[in-house]
Amino acid sequence: MKRFAIEIKWGIIFSVVSLLWMYLEKALGWHDELIAKHAIYTNFFGIVAIVIYVLALLDKRKNFFEGKMNWSQGFISGIVVSIVVAILTPLAQYITHAFITPEYFPNIIDHAVERGSMTREAAEEYFNLTSYILQSFFFALVVGVVTSAIVALFVRKK
């Protein structure tokens, strides 16, 4: 466990920052009056996520690998961060939708129906806590692995 303490720390940091991002989205109106723009604006979190992965792998390189790290070491470290994030995803989604923005699902369902992009039944099936937990879990793993592979290329050092 001590071998992966840095990755666990950064997985927790990532989850806390994602909750703060949800609070920011809510405060900026992206979950209610500006919900039509949510699908575009929420993608800016990708920049934040990449920065966190860079910081995590730099931390691992400096404090575990004594300033040297090859690509595979960085990639494995990033994968572990991704697994921690994925494990914390159900809790983060619950906190987001129970406390930060409980009206998000009704708002996005209404928006999808009003736009004509989904029937109410399809929207209710897609936009709910269980669906978002599953989507977020797998998204964290897949995108985390890809991000880890790319970031590890830039932070490797002989």
Side-chain angles (χ1 to χ4, degrees), residues 8-128:
I8 293 168
K9 173 183 82 173
W10 283 99
I12 292 168
I13 289 169
F14 188 102
S15 296
V16 169
V17 170
S18 72
L19 289 171
L20 293 172
W21 182 266
M22 287 298 111
Y23 183 78
L24 176 70
E25 284 190 5
K26 168 69 175 154
L28 292 173
W30 301 353
H31 294 182
D32 36 59
E33 60 266 3
L34 296 176
I35 202 156
K37 302 289 185 187
H38 178 259
I40 297 165
Y41 295 155
T42 195
N43 290 314
F44 288 114
F45 183 74
I47 297 165
V48 176
I50 291 167
V51 168
I52 292 171
Y53 271 78
V54 169
L55 294 173
L57 296 188
L58 289 173
D59 187 7
K60 185 71 171 192
R61 183 181 78 190
K62 178 183 176 190
N63 296 308
F64 187 82
F65 292 117
E66 299 172 352
K68 300 174 192 167
M69 184 171 71
N70 62 36
W71 178 84
S72 63
Q73 290 169 323
F75 182 53
I76 290 167
S77 181
I79 288 172
V80 175
V81 172
S82 301
I83 291 169
V84 173
V85 171
I87 289 169
L88 294 174
T89 289
L91 178 61
Q93 285 294 323
Y94 175 76
I95 291 169
T96 295
H97 297 290
F99 301 106
I100 297 172
T101 182
E103 67 285 345
Y104 174 75
F105 288 133
N107 289 344
I108 194 69
I109 289 167
D110 288 345
H111 175 70
V113 172
E114 288 167 11
R115 259 189 35 206
S117 60
M118 299 176 109
T119 65
R120 179 156 301 276
E121 295 76 26
E124 288 172 354
E125 189 174 311
Y126 185 79
F127 298 112
N128 62 69

Side-chain angles (χ1 to χ4, degrees), residues 124-135:
E124 288 172 354
E125 189 174 311
Y126 185 79
F127 298 112
N128 62 69
L129 184 59
T130 302
S131 175
Y132 266 45
I133 286 173
L134 287 171
Q135 290 175 51

